[in-house]
Amino acid sequence: MSPNLAGALLMMGSMACFTLNDTMLKLTDGSVPLFQLLFVRSVITCSLILVLRGRLGALHFRIGRRDWGLIAARALSEVVIAYFFLNALFNMPLANLTAILQCVPLAVTLASLLFLREAVGWQRLTAIAVGFVGVLLIVRPGAEGFNIWSVYALIAMICVTFRDLITRKLSPSVPSMTVTLVTAGAVLVAAGLASLSAPWVSFGVGTGALIVGSAVSIMGGYYLSIQVMRAGDVSFTAPFRYTGLVFALVIGWFVFDEWPGWVTLLGAAIVVVTGIFTLYRERVVLGR
C-alpha cells in the first residue's frame, strides 16, 4: 500500500471514529453533566491506551524538550476543543457542526501564511475567502439560526486548526501513542477538576455503554488523526477529511432525524469545493 493510500484510509478512519464519538455523546442527551461525562470517558480512554500499550505502536516518554512543549500545547488545545465542541454538539444538529469543521483545511492554509510564513498564492487566498463565505452560509450570522452555539463551533474549528499545525511540527520520533495518552490525560485532569464544581449523577447501563463506545471511538480518532499527519502527502490526504461530513449527514438523518436546510448544504458544498481546490493548488505549487 502506498503512503498516500494509507494516509487517505487513515483520514477516513479518523473521521469515522470522531463522528461515532459525537453520535454516542449526543445520544446521552445531556443526562450526565458535561465535565463528569468527559472525565469518565477520559478514564476509560486512558485505560484502553495503557492496556493496548505496544500493540498499536511504541509508548515511551524519552522525548526532547521542544517536542514536550508541542505535546503540551497540543493537549491544551484538545481540552479547549472538547469544551467548546461538546457544548455545540449538544445544542445544534450534528451535520451543521461537522460542516463548520470542514473549514479546517482552509484555516490551516491561512494559518500557515500568517504564522509559519509559508507562501500562499492569490488563487488559494481567493479560495479561502470564498470558503469562509460558505461558513457564513452555514452559521448565518444575523439570522434566526445563529446563536452562541454557532460561536462555540467556530472556536472549536479554530482550535482544531491550531492542533493540526502543532501536530505537523512534532518530530517523527515522537510516538503517536504517547501523544494520544498525554492528550487523553490532559482532558481527564481538566474535566476531573471542573467536575468538582457540580454534583455528580448516576446513570444507567445504556448511558454507560454509550460512554464506553465514545471512549473507544475517541481513542481511535486521536490515534488515527496523529498517524495521518505522518503518512503520505498532507495535500493528498487532507481532502479525505470531508468524508466526515458525509458520515455526519447520514447519521444525522438516520439516528437523529436531522437534515440541514438547502442554505446549509450550499455553504457546506462551497467549503468542500474550495478546500479541495486549495489543496490541489498546494500540490501544483509543490510540483507533486
Side-chain angles (χ1 to χ4, degrees), residues 9-24:
L9 293 175
L10 287 167
M11 179 64 83
M12 287 189 287
S14 70
M15 291 299 101
C17 285
F18 282 128
T19 306
L20 285 173
N21 166 72
D22 300 343
T23 302
M24 293 180 193

Side-chain angles (χ1 to χ4, degrees), residues 56-199:
L56 294 178
L59 195 162
H60 65 75
F61 301 96
R62 300 183 300 277
I63 298 170
R65 182 178 301 177
R66 170 188 172 275
D67 283 316
W68 270 123
L70 291 173
I71 292 172
R74 189 185 186 282
L76 178 61
S77 68
E78 198 69 59
V79 170
V80 179
I81 291 167
Y83 174 76
F84 284 102
F85 179 84
L86 291 181
N87 270 294
L89 176 66
F90 289 134
N91 292 281
M92 63 188 299
L94 177 61
N96 290 43
L97 175 57
T98 305
I100 293 173
L101 291 183
Q102 302 314 300
C103 198
V104 168
L106 296 173
V108 168
T109 302
L110 181 60
S112 298
L113 168 65
L114 296 177
F115 301 110
L116 303 182
R117 303 300 181 186
E118 294 182 1
V120 178
W122 68 267
Q123 295 99 330
R124 282 186 285 175
L125 286 175
T126 302
I128 290 170
V130 175
F132 280 111
V133 170
V135 173
L136 292 177
L137 288 175
I138 298 169
V139 301
R140 280 169 284 177
E144 188 176 322
F146 183 76
N147 51 41
I148 186 62
W149 310 120
S150 298
V151 176
Y152 274 41
L154 291 172
I155 294 174
M157 182 268 291
I158 293 170
C159 292
V160 170
T161 301
F162 181 64
R163 181 199 68 189
D164 284 0
L165 286 174
I166 294 172
T167 304
R168 289 170 64 174
K169 290 296 181 181
L170 285 171
S171 301
S173 60
V174 176
S176 297
M177 286 299 288
T178 301
V179 180
T180 304
L181 178 61
V182 173
T183 299
V187 175
L188 184 154
V189 172
L193 293 174
S195 70
L196 299 176
S197 62

Side-chain angles (χ1 to χ4, degrees), residues 37-56 59 61 75 78-79 176-192 211-220 222-223:
L37 180 64
L38 276 175
F39 178 77
V40 174
R41 187 192 71 176
S42 298
V43 168
I44 299 170
T45 301
C46 289
S47 300
L48 287 171
I49 293 171
L50 293 174
V51 168
L52 294 173
R53 179 180 179 178
R55 292 179 175 85
L56 294 178
L59 195 162
F61 301 96
E78 198 69 59
V79 170
S176 297
M177 286 299 288
T178 301
V179 180
T180 304
L181 178 61
V182 173
T183 299
V187 175
L188 184 154
V189 172
I211 296 174
V212 171
S214 169
V216 174
S217 298
I218 199 67
M219 184 191 73
Y222 283 160
Y223 179 74

